Amino acid sequence: MHGVTTSVPDTALVLAGGGVAGIAWELGVLRGLADADPALADRVLAADLVVGTSAGSAVAAQVTSGVPLDELYAAQLRPETAEIEVDVDLPALVASINAAMAGATGPEDAGRRIGALALAAPTTDPAPRLAAIDARLPVKTWPERRLLVAAVDARSGELAVLTRDSGVALVDAVAASCAVPGVWPPVVVDGRPLIDGGTRSMANSDLASGAGRVLVVLPALEGAPALWGSSLDAELAALAPSAVHVVYADQASIDAFGTNALSPATRAASAQAGRAVGAAHAEAVAALWG
């Protein structure tokens, strides 16, 4: 299932989870880089390796599709969308997942506990959810470039890294990576129910280990504790000696995300906030990317 090749990439773009707001914000960050330095944005989007988790998997599929970034960003500003409005109490959901994880002996045990919660929870019908994910993908096939999509096996708690070589449709891989436990249904791949890769880590940036330069785009404040899963600080330490830069959200971005980052109503404001952040980080990204 892992399907990860052993070639060492020079550059890696890591796109983290963050709900529908996170998709818009990350596309905004990349658009902001293009505002400041179009050639730099082109080089970042041409990274040897792209790692996508949850919302980041949708962004990764989009930016490796060949569709111009301008078009991808503009779509986030339009009010019409195939995204499903979901009424969810995120603090209560986080509390229930943290309660399920209490006493876990390690990451896979935590994954199994979250997986049990996900398998037991009533969620929406899988068909419209899959249609909404499909609508996120301007191209339905895997790119030739190396794209890793992170999900978690709900039964074993193990990380599942989905790639072009996994024999999994791209829409199923992205749907699995985005299957927030207790909100969206698990996605069965090869008989395995898979859930949101963000339950292991919001970024899963360790999948970029070995890359010479790693850019992580994370829709959270710097220093904010992870809702669940591993901390980014530990992952970044494990990436050494890679050169790494993290684009974090600012307070204006957090305000744009609002109280429900899964709501499509957050898209335009989040995209615009991300665009400002991306432009502000352009100099640091240029120093990283060379």
Side-chain angles (χ1 to χ4, degrees):
M1 172 76 72
H2 283 236
V4 181
T5 59
T6 55
S7 59
V8 178
D10 178 43
T11 54
L13 173 62
V14 176
L15 299 161
V20 174
I23 294 173
W25 183 83
E26 291 175 17
L27 288 168
V29 166
L30 297 170
R31 185 66 184 81
L33 287 178
D35 288 339
D37 188 337
L40 171 64
D42 288 344
R43 295 199 305 275
V44 168
L45 293 175
D48 301 321
L49 169 67
V50 181
V51 177
T53 297
S54 198
S57 72
V59 178
Q62 291 188 27
V63 300
T64 58
S65 70
V67 173
L69 179 60
D70 281 355
E71 291 183 27
L72 300 173
Y73 175 78
Q76 297 300 316
L77 303 181
R78 290 195 289 269
E80 58 272 17
T81 177
E83 297 290 351
I84 301 169
E85 185 66 68
V86 58
D87 183 17
V88 58
D89 184 338
L90 285 182
L93 177 65
V94 171
S96 68
I97 290 176
N98 285 334
M101 291 172 61
T105 57
E108 290 183 2
D109 184 32
R112 285 190 293 272
R113 290 162 178 253
I114 299 171
L117 181 152
L119 292 170
T123 59
T124 59
D125 179 13
R129 172 60 175 165
L130 199 62
I133 297 294
D134 185 78
R136 292 178 181 174
L137 307 183
V139 175
K140 315 303 180 184
T141 53
W142 287 87
E144 288 300 313
R145 220 146 23 103
R146 193 171 165 207
L147 168 60
L148 308 183
V149 173
V152 168
D153 185 313
R155 292 202 180 104
S156 71
E158 295 175 342
L159 172 67
V161 182
L162 305 172
T163 74
R164 185 178 68 239
D165 301 324
S166 297
V168 179
L170 181 60
V171 64
D172 291 331
V174 173
S177 188
C178 294
V180 180
V183 179
W184 304 120
V187 176
V188 178
V189 172
D190 292 337
R192 304 168 70 189
L194 302 184
I195 60 172
D196 198 313
T199 59
R200 175 186 185 262
S201 159
M202 287 295 287
N204 289 294
S205 54
D206 55 315
L207 295 179
S209 179
R213 293 165 286 170
V214 182
L215 176 63
V216 181
V217 183
L218 181 76
L221 291 173
E222 183 173 5
L227 296 178
W228 47 66
S230 63
S231 76
L232 183 64
D233 288 346
E235 288 180 22
L236 297 181
L239 285 175
S242 301
V244 182
H245 180 72
V246 183
V247 177
Y248 292 100
D250 59 3
Q251 188 57 52
S253 301
I254 300 301
D255 293 342
F257 301 161
T259 58
N260 181 8
L262 301 181
S263 171
T266 62
R267 293 159 54 248
S270 297
Q272 291 162 340
R275 188 171 183 173
V277 169
H281 278 260
E283 186 174 341
V285 174
L288 170 75
W289 224 248

